[in-house]
Amino acid sequence: MTALLVALGAAIGAPLRLLTDRAMQVRFGTAFPWGTLTVNVAGSFVLGLVLGLPLAPGTVALLGTGFCGALTTYSTFSWEILSLSKRGEILIAAGYALLSITAGMGAAVIGGALAHSLS
């Protein structure tokens, strides 16, 4: 049953990641990976919220592992840093990495704090 819940969450998270990335590309172009940054920060917030709330294990599997796991993407984040570096945009790559990690951690903390205040 847990595997089905994870698959259901992933079936929502993965297309949402694609749609978010495409929407950000249309809005801001492709020079900077705004889509990946957006889904990773949003997913970190949601995961902080999910893990901070007293939820049933199945709900955590659905939302945390499935949805957030498919919404966020470390592999694309890494590839984008490598691509920026290969194009000679070292400062942008470093800034992107720093911004992503800092914003993601901050979003997770805020989500956890919000969960704590709600429970």
Side-chain angles (χ1 to χ4, degrees):
M1 184 61 170
T2 301
L4 292 175
L5 290 170
V6 170
L8 178 60
I12 297 166
L16 184 58
R17 177 177 77 206
L18 175 69
L19 294 172
T20 301
D21 188 54
R22 295 293 152 84
M24 297 302 278
Q25 287 176 1
V26 167
R27 176 97 169 122
F28 299 108
T30 59
F32 187 84
W34 290 110
T36 302
L37 178 65
T38 301
V39 296
N40 285 346
V41 172
S44 295
F45 173 79
V46 172
L47 189 59
L49 188 63
V50 166
L51 295 179
L53 291 171
L55 300 174
T59 305
V60 173
L62 173 75
L63 298 175
T65 306
F67 177 74
C68 290
L71 177 67
T72 62
T73 172
Y74 188 78
S75 57
T76 302
F77 163 69
S78 300
W79 178 81
E80 288 165 345
I81 292 170
L82 181 61
S83 295
L84 287 166
S85 298
K86 284 183 174 182
R87 291 195 318 241
E89 299 179 48
I90 303 300
L91 289 178
I92 293 174
Y96 172 53
L98 184 61
L99 177 62
S100 293
I101 293 166
T102 304
M105 290 176 65
V109 168
I110 291 168
L114 178 59
H116 179 71
S117 72
L118 294 174
S119 44

